[in-house]
Amino acid sequence: MSHSPASSPRVVVIGAGIVGCSLADELTARGWTDVTVLEQGPLPAPGGSTSHAPGLVFRTGPSKTLTEFAQYTVEKFSALEVDGLPCFNPVGGLELATTEERWADLHRKAGYATSWGIRGELISPERCKELWPLLDETKVLGGFHTPEDGLARAVLACRAQMARAEARGARFLERHTVTGIEQEGGRVTAVVTDRGTFPADHVVSAAGFWGPVVGRMAGVDVPLLPLAHQYAKTRPLPELAGVNDPRTEASRPILRFQDRDLYFREHTDRIGIGSYAHKPLPVDPFTVPAYDDAPVMPSSYPFTEEDFAPSWEDCGWLLPALAGSEVEEGFNGVFSFTPDGMPVLGESRALRGFWLAEAVWVTHSAGVAKAVAEWMVDGRPRTDVHECDLTRFEDAQRSPAYVAERGAQQFVEVYDVLHPLQPMDRPRPLRVSPFHARQQQLGAYFLEGGGWERPHWYEANAPLAEGIDLPQRDAWSARYWSPIAAAEARATREKVALYDMTPLRRLEVTGPGALAFLQRMTSNNLAKKPGAVTYTLLLDERGGVRSDLTVARLAADRFQIGANSPADEDWLLRHAPDDVQIRDITSGTCCIGVWGPLARDLVQPLTQDDFSHKGFGYFRAKQTHLGHVPVTAMRLSYVGELGWELYTSADLGLRLWDTLWEAGQEHGVIAAGRSAFNSLRLEKGYRSWGLDMTDEHTPYEAGVGFAVRMDKGDFTGREALEKAGEPRRRLTALLLDDPAAVVLGKEPVYVDGAPAGYVTSASYGYTLGRCIAYAWLPPLPAGTPVHVEYFGEKVPATVADEPLFDPEMARIRR
């Protein structure tokens, strides 16, 4: 839906760094040509993070989204040049391991590269020395070489994209300091500067570490922390004399020495060194000097030699040629960190037309700009951006104290080896369910998600794990895991267990228009009598799965929704008509899942209502009392066993837990954690949104087409699904052939020896005695042999029919 220039919306971009310039280029290329970019400093190097960025582009990481952004940045900048100088120098990337832990991590990173389509290889110390002759290869165990990574010349790339955007009608205005954002009726209308006011239909804050300053003017929270990062240059080195062309500056790969928080790049005959080894140096964006008042530029702070001293020793240890050299110049450059290390992108709901493109590094800049331009022009990006969506943070994660503490920790952890389940250390505990005290008494091992403390297993169940024969785990998959999870899974299959489901988001939708609204927004048919519960999908206009929901109709015009993230509430609120109210009730309520073959034996004596299969069918809801506690009971099961989700208000939560615990003693009730829960859900093939499926996937590809009712009238995404052909890829269940093998997620999957897809979620299936992995693959018949690469080893697996456990659903419907 490209706009002709005549009807082009007026866009004002705040900030002419690499993101603002890339965005102006991407928008004008799509026909939105009325674009004004305002910059407080002089052009083309206005003094923000872009002006000092060393330009390293390493594309590979655990985030598929960030890798795709970086991939596009490389492709785009490789095709740009200014005055005959290329905007990207593909010298390659080389990450070194000097410890066994890092060497293992590089094997995992090579797996990510294969999963996301990046060329890379693990190489010997001798090959590392060939690529970087200044290296002492005796200190190195090996390296990971990515030949297409390299150096982005950010200021040049800004100039190239400015020229293209200007040729299409955009204008770039330097030395315009933004002083206010005007709005009317919840929409942005103009940007005020010290040199005039600019009317706007859309305003994009691409202000980098000044993002919180611009956000405050708009009344929009921008959760990022600016931090200073050390960068030094050596004096000229004789070893580099005549090696590099001064026009391109570098010929050898950018080097990462992550075991000491260091990276290196060539500057013709000198070496540039970046260090994350020092304490976090936060910068208040409200006190950063203006361009003309700054000693060098606003983003450049004086070099702190005492912070760099230990790193300089590490440099000489790895690169002996530096031992006789010295740092000739250095500075502390400011850039942005968020609480989870990801960018902050998207349109504010509080102020329509006000967009954020913040906390973006040069590495991801063009990819982010493309995604935001698609979002603005077409209504959504083609890449799944839920990890970057500005709505992803909970209210509890938006306090200045939280943003400062977590942002600083992201800086500390930039080069750390992080486990996918590794929780943050502080601030904890932040959010706890009403059952927290009882969980502590039972020895709960807590991990964290969305600020919530979540029990993964309970030490009280350790005796139940004795005698369960489980294969030995490798050190990596044994972290944040316990054999107790197997005992808890078995107890759920054989007796009954209590699961704390409180952290799952709950929304209440009420009002005369509630049914019509939810029918329009979701894929399944919700026009059922009160008491019905329906599994349904939130789709976007392209038929992609934005989220999956369970919707309980509790009264004619009152629905309770089980949702995934703050983005679900945001999406519904954006579309809700005046006669519909939407409220997040998560914090004021709680939920216990009571599941297992003895669940009815436990619950029925506590209530006067009929909890028999006939009296309370599957996917039904009832308002009742258990003992003294009013509850909303829903007969749902994410673990594939008989049972109920029991909801009550937070103040009665402890009483509900104690009531169930006491009544369950004669049935051998236990408390069980998320580790067992995840294993049981994968045995049943239940999808986890955000892991197994995103808006990049249609329901038919993701195996949730049963939640689409094409005969129910119009709904968002329906038209796209009508045109969807046969799926070219499917979310596929795999069983690892070796009962002792384990994978964790994001590993590449090989079919006929070639990479064909990647694992989404995985867990050991304790009932099946095999590890289960779900993976995105081309459609393959059951029985097809494949291989999953785990730490460089090809582990054999077989495509399996779904669901793997109890396909007749006999255990749930009894």
Side-chain angles (χ1 to χ4, degrees), residues 97-289:
T98 59
T99 63
E100 291 292 349
E101 187 186 24
R102 181 69 59 183
W103 186 225
D105 188 57
L106 292 185
H107 281 76
R108 196 162 50 253
K109 190 163 265 186
Y112 293 145
T114 306
S115 288
W116 316 143
I118 306 284
R119 190 161 74 94
E121 64 170 336
L122 294 161
I123 59 175
S124 68
E126 294 72 30
R127 177 71 180 129
C128 292
K129 173 81 168 176
E130 282 174 29
L131 291 167
W132 249 84
L134 301 187
L135 195 63
D136 177 357
E137 77 278 20
T138 65
K139 305 283 174 49
V140 176
L141 298 176
F144 176 53
H145 181 220
T146 42
E148 279 98 29
D149 286 341
L151 295 164
R153 305 179 78 155
V155 175
L156 277 189
C158 283
R159 284 175 59 193
Q161 293 178 101
M162 281 169 67
R164 297 204 319 188
E166 283 174 334
R168 301 185 194 112
R171 57 182 176 158
F172 290 76
L173 302 177
E174 63 181 1
R175 296 194 173 276
H176 279 62
T177 299
V178 173
T179 57
I181 309 285
E182 291 187 352
Q183 48 183 290
E184 194 181 310
R187 277 207 74 88
V188 72
T189 56
V191 177
V192 185
T193 75
D194 57 353
R195 297 173 66 178
T197 297
F198 297 83
D201 303 303
H202 295 275
V203 173
V204 186
S205 178
F209 62 80
W210 285 283
V213 179
V214 175
R216 183 175 290 182
M217 295 176 202
V220 173
D221 178 41
V222 182
L224 67 81
L225 177 74
L227 286 156
H229 163 58
Q230 292 201 302
Y231 195 77
K233 286 181 183 173
T234 65
R235 65 172 189 230
L237 296 171
E239 293 86 348
L240 290 181
V243 169
N244 293 313
D245 180 343
R247 286 165 54 83
T248 53
E249 290 193 343
S251 57
R252 290 171 185 157
I254 37 180
L255 191 66
R256 269 179 171 173
F257 179 22
Q258 291 170 299
D259 291 321
R260 290 287 187 275
D261 294 306
L262 290 167
Y263 62 81
F264 305 88
R265 60 153 292 188
E266 295 172 312
H267 292 275
T268 312
D269 59 354
R270 306 192 295 168
I271 290 179
I273 305 158
S275 169
Y276 292 101
H278 54 87
K279 64 182 183 291
L281 303 167
V283 172
D284 180 353
F286 291 89
T287 60
V288 173

Side-chain angles (χ1 to χ4, degrees), residues 407-563:
Q409 189 59 21
Q410 289 297 329
F411 177 90
V412 170
E413 291 175 357
V414 161
Y415 281 171
D416 288 1
V417 176
L418 297 175
H419 192 277
L421 291 175
Q422 189 165 332
M424 60 188 191
D425 294 327
R426 300 190 316 271
R428 285 183 67 193
L430 186 59
R431 308 172 81 186
V432 297
S433 81
F435 327 126
H436 189 249
R438 297 291 182 267
Q439 293 166 342
Q440 285 179 305
Q441 288 163 5
L442 293 168
Y445 184 90
F446 292 101
L447 297 180
E448 179 272 340
W452 288 99
E453 293 296 314
R454 301 175 174 212
H456 272 242
W457 64 82
Y458 294 87
E459 289 297 331
N461 298 324
L464 301 176
E466 288 165 19
I468 294 185
D469 189 24
L470 287 174
Q472 272 297 115
R473 286 208 170 202
D474 65 281
W476 185 251
S477 66
R479 287 175 74 179
Y480 308 106
W481 173 84
S482 166
I484 295 171
E488 293 177 359
R490 177 185 280 187
T492 310
R493 291 268 186 251
E494 293 178 356
K495 291 184 179 175
V496 61
L498 305 185
Y499 287 84
D500 179 2
M501 306 302 285
T502 302
L504 297 183
R505 178 167 304 277
R506 291 173 288 289
L507 306 175
E508 185 180 71
V509 180
T510 54
L515 175 63
F517 167 63
L518 290 172
Q519 282 284 71
R520 192 172 71 253
M521 294 302 292
T522 74
S523 63
N524 210 332
N525 187 13
L526 307 180
K528 300 171 183 170
K529 290 191 195 117
V533 184
T534 309
Y535 176 80
T536 186
L537 308 171
L538 280 183
L539 304 179
D540 61 25
E541 294 291 351
R542 287 215 285 268
V545 181
R546 275 193 65 94
S547 189
D548 61 344
L549 312 174
T550 48
V551 180
R553 191 175 192 185
L554 300 180
D557 56 2
R558 182 162 72 93
F559 295 81
Q560 182 175 312
I561 294 180

Side-chain angles (χ1 to χ4, degrees), residues 366-389:
V368 163
K370 173 176 177 279
V372 173
E374 289 168 347
W375 211 338
M376 294 172 74
V377 176
D378 303 327
R380 65 154 270 192
R382 293 197 169 271
T383 300
D384 160 49
V385 294
H386 81 272
E387 295 174 315
C388 312
D389 195 306

